[in-house]
Amino acid sequence: MRTSSLPLVLLLVALRPELLAADQLRVADVFTDNAVLQQGVKLPVWGTTTANTEVTVRLAGQTKTVQAAEDGTWRLELSPLRADGTGTTMIVESQEDRHEFRNLLVGEVWYASGQSNMQMTLRACAQKIPAIREIAEAAATDNIRWLRIDEPDSPQPLKHRQKTTPWQLDHPTNRATQSAVAYLFARTLHDKLGVPIGIIEGSWGGKPIEGFIPRSQFEKQETLQPLLTLAEQDQLDDLAKLEGGVIIRNTAGMPGRIYNARVSPIVPYAIRGFIWYQGESNAGHGEDPRNYRFKMRALIEGWRETWGQPELPFYFVQLPAFKDELTGWIRLREEQRLSLDIPHTGMAVTIDLRDSDIHPANKPDVAKRLANWALVKTYGKQFPCSGPLAKSATVDGDSMRVEFEHADSGLMVARKEGLAAATPTPDIALAHFELADESGNWHPAQATIDGSAVIVQSSGVRKPRAVRYACSGDPENANLYNQAGLPASPFCSDLQLLAWESDQ
């Protein structure tokens, strides 16, 4: 009598359902109906199927075929496409299987990530600012779309998402739950470029930067190697005490675990660049913000290396004003400013967007300032994209002269209220400038504008050692702007004299 093995097969499938689909044609799950494809670049399409099986992809008049490898993986590249707001279909098929992805657009695609200020929704912002409610409730559009990546953290890089979600069309019923910064960034780009915009968003509230950095970068960068060693030995108390250490509160904060879950599954989907809003969880009470710029380099270079594109743009948000007692934010803002040494980056300054909440509701200005960088540096538009950035500070007798970049048309004293543009206030003195004496003690200073520079003096300092601006946790009315109405970044000319949390 012959015994059937069917019950055993069914049991195995029940326990491991991926076995049933192991030899079936599978396309990377970042491809769904309504996706936006990146214009003007080669388009990778990939997945798995039976070993040595031929897979054919058809899209926009192109037909390309590839043979799967011995492990069943396959990948091909479609030729670049022009922007197109008319929905098209992509067909992927093998001898046994066929998949259709409908209503695809071609335009610009950006990956957005960070922690809760990137994740903060339009609805949450609209509860504080009525004008944002009008944006959230506006009529549906077809040319802005997004894909939320919401995977739990993973110890290993994922090839497929466990929580598969589709690309979403822009509609007021779901727009309100999207990242306000990412949506408003996309809306600004769409208005200025006139092409479809796609956002892939993988932020995670309350998480330090370490979780987003590929593990390989901790091994490559000497400054970060001790963090990886202590994390993998589960010596988290010692890790928190390191210079530039981090408090890891759960597994998502461990090196690489968010990257494994929310970046790895979508690579190498064609994108134009990245936007990033994070830092709060590396600069709170008891947290050491030093070395954050090295972590930013590891993040940026790691993501670019993953995509195999070393010049992908990376635009990020500097932390705003919030609570004087959070002195770690002072140092972290400076670490963020110093990260601009990394090529093809830009920083949206937000020191003037004060709020009593750690989640400022004024995300329209944040998104616009991020979009300014993209429009100028990525898309070649011609207008000021940044507020003034200190480039040099020199002693001149009993004063110091600070020269600024992004101030070609001059500097001004101004004040910003709500969503309105900054208003010049020429009769008001510049605030929040200080000079350090020879002993390193800081004194309030008077500052005057001289073209694209500021001259800083203090009656209590005869021989200045250093100068700083807006270096408090919550500087009220940080009022130095360029003529385009964009705020100057806080800065300190001597990091050794810049306080941070554990120095208090």
Side-chain angles (χ1 to χ4, degrees):
M1 180 176 175
R2 186 174 180 180
T3 303
S4 172
S5 61
L6 183 58
L8 176 59
V9 171
L10 293 176
L11 176 61
L12 289 172
V13 168
L15 293 174
R16 295 184 60 194
E18 71 272 15
L19 293 176
L20 183 63
D23 292 333
Q24 294 178 347
L25 176 62
R26 184 170 185 173
V27 185
D29 51 33
V30 68
F31 294 96
T32 76
D33 291 350
N34 305 317
V36 179
L37 306 176
Q38 176 60 48
Q39 67 168 332
V41 300
K42 292 182 178 180
L43 297 174
V45 184
W46 71 100
T48 57
T49 189
T50 306
N52 303 315
T53 297
E54 285 193 346
V55 177
T56 298
V57 178
R58 295 183 174 86
L59 173 67
Q62 297 185 50
T63 300
K64 295 198 175 182
T65 299
V66 67
Q67 181 172 298
E70 290 291 339
D71 64 357
T73 60
W74 60 269
R75 173 179 168 176
L76 57 74
E77 289 185 338
L78 297 172
S79 299
L81 301 174
R82 294 182 178 179
D84 190 349
T86 304
T88 189
T89 297
M90 181 172 74
I91 297 172
V92 184
E93 58 187 348
S94 63
Q95 187 173 353
E96 292 84 13
D97 297 295
R98 173 186 171 98
H99 297 283
E100 289 192 9
F101 302 99
R102 300 178 178 86
N103 194 29
L104 308 184
L105 304 184
V106 182
E108 292 295 303
V109 182
W110 288 78
Y111 182 76
S113 193
Q115 57 180 110
S116 55
N117 268 306
M118 179 63 82
Q119 193 172 346
M120 188 179 185
T121 65
L122 275 171
R123 176 180 294 148
C125 295
Q127 290 173 352
K128 293 185 176 182
I129 301 178
I132 299 177
R133 186 178 302 115
E134 297 177 11
I135 297 172
E137 296 175 353
T141 66
D142 190 46
N143 287 316
I144 299 176
R145 300 177 179 187
W146 53 83
L147 175 65
R148 167 74 178 160
I149 308 295
D150 201 24
E151 289 292 307
D153 64 277
S154 171
Q156 300 297 329
L158 299 178
K159 294 182 179 179
H160 307 288
R161 291 181 291 156
Q162 301 174 48
K163 300 170 65 176
T164 304
T165 52
W167 281 81
Q168 295 191 48
L169 300 173
D170 176 40
H171 191 278
T173 57
N174 58 22
R175 184 190 305 140
T177 62
Q178 304 308 309
S179 159
V181 170
Y183 174 78
L184 294 167
F185 173 84
R187 174 174 161 151
T188 302
L189 292 191
H190 175 62
D191 289 347
K192 299 297 183 181
L193 301 177
V195 301
I197 305 294
I199 295 288
I200 304 175
E201 191 259 310
S203 58
W204 196 337
K207 300 299 180 284
I209 192 174
E210 284 78 2
F212 297 89
I213 300 170
R215 184 187 181 281
S216 60
Q217 290 296 311
F218 288 89
E219 298 172 340
K220 289 182 178 181
Q221 302 213 19
E222 184 177 352
T223 306
L224 305 187
Q225 288 173 4
L227 280 73
L228 179 63
T229 299
L230 292 174
E232 294 195 334
Q233 293 174 352
D234 203 31
Q235 298 180 24
L236 302 188
D237 289 341
D238 292 335
L239 174 54
K241 296 174 184 176
L242 278 180
E243 178 175 329
V246 61
I247 297 175
I248 295 181
R249 296 174 173 84
N250 49 55
T251 56
M254 297 288 278
R257 291 192 59 133
I258 299 175
Y259 166 85
N260 291 342
R262 301 197 176 187
V263 179
S264 178
I266 68 167
V267 177
Y269 194 82
I271 61 173
R272 179 62 72 193
F274 309 102
I275 55 174
W276 173 257
Y277 191 165
Q278 193 275 338
E280 301 90 338
S281 288
N282 288 88
H285 288 299
E287 292 168 322
D288 187 344
R290 295 174 296 175
N291 293 343
Y292 187 85
R293 63 190 183 277
F294 301 114
K295 298 174 186 181
M296 282 286 282
R297 182 174 292 276
L299 176 79
I300 295 167
E301 292 183 354
W303 285 10
R304 288 171 173 173
E305 184 177 292
T306 298
W307 262 272
Q309 298 182 60
E311 297 184 355
L312 279 176
F314 191 103
Y315 304 128
F316 59 94
V317 181
Q318 188 184 49
L319 291 185
F322 180 65
K323 289 189 177 180
D324 272 334
E325 60 266 31
L326 289 178
T327 55
W329 284 45
I330 304 170
R331 178 59 181 263
L332 193 125
R333 291 188 202 112
E334 189 69 346
E335 295 284 315
Q336 290 175 315
R337 184 181 70 86
L338 294 172
S339 297
L340 290 170
D341 286 344
I342 304 168
H344 311 293
T345 60
M347 182 178 73
V349 177
T350 63
I351 197 66
D352 58 337
L353 306 184
R354 298 179 70 237
D355 198 304
S356 60
D357 195 324
I358 196 172
H359 303 113
N362 183 356
K363 294 300 190 279
D365 275 308
V366 176
K368 181 180 179 181
R369 292 172 186 180
L370 280 174
N372 284 346
W373 279 100
L375 289 167
V376 172
K377 297 300 184 180
T378 302
Y379 299 111
K381 304 298 183 181
Q382 299 293 321
F383 58 83
C385 66
S386 173
L389 299 171
K391 65 179 178 179
S392 67
T394 56
V395 177
D396 183 11
D398 63 352
S399 66
M400 292 195 73
R401 180 181 181 88
V402 183
E403 294 282 353
F404 289 88
E405 297 179 275
H406 301 285
D408 293 343
S409 59
L411 300 168
M412 68 176 181
V413 183
R415 185 176 184 88
K416 180 164 171 49
E417 298 285 353
L419 299 182
T423 302
T425 55
D427 296 331
I428 303 296
L430 279 173
H432 304 294
F433 275 93
E434 300 170 89
L435 285 181
D437 60 26
E438 291 179 289
S439 299
N441 298 312
W442 290 101
H443 301 261
Q446 297 74 49
T448 56
I449 292 171
D450 181 17
S452 62
V454 171
I455 310 300
V456 188
Q457 294 178 301
S458 174
S459 58
V461 181
R462 295 182 61 186
K463 295 182 178 180
R465 173 180 168 182
V467 59
R468 68 183 185 182
Y469 167 69
C471 286
S472 64
D474 185 20
E476 182 179 358
N477 189 27
N479 59 357
L480 178 61
Y481 288 76
N482 59 19
Q483 293 293 328
L486 294 171
S489 169
F491 71 90
C492 179
S493 66
D494 188 344
L495 273 184
Q496 294 181 358
L497 302 180
L498 192 63
W500 60 282
E501 180 79 13
S502 295
D503 290 341
Q504 304 306 302

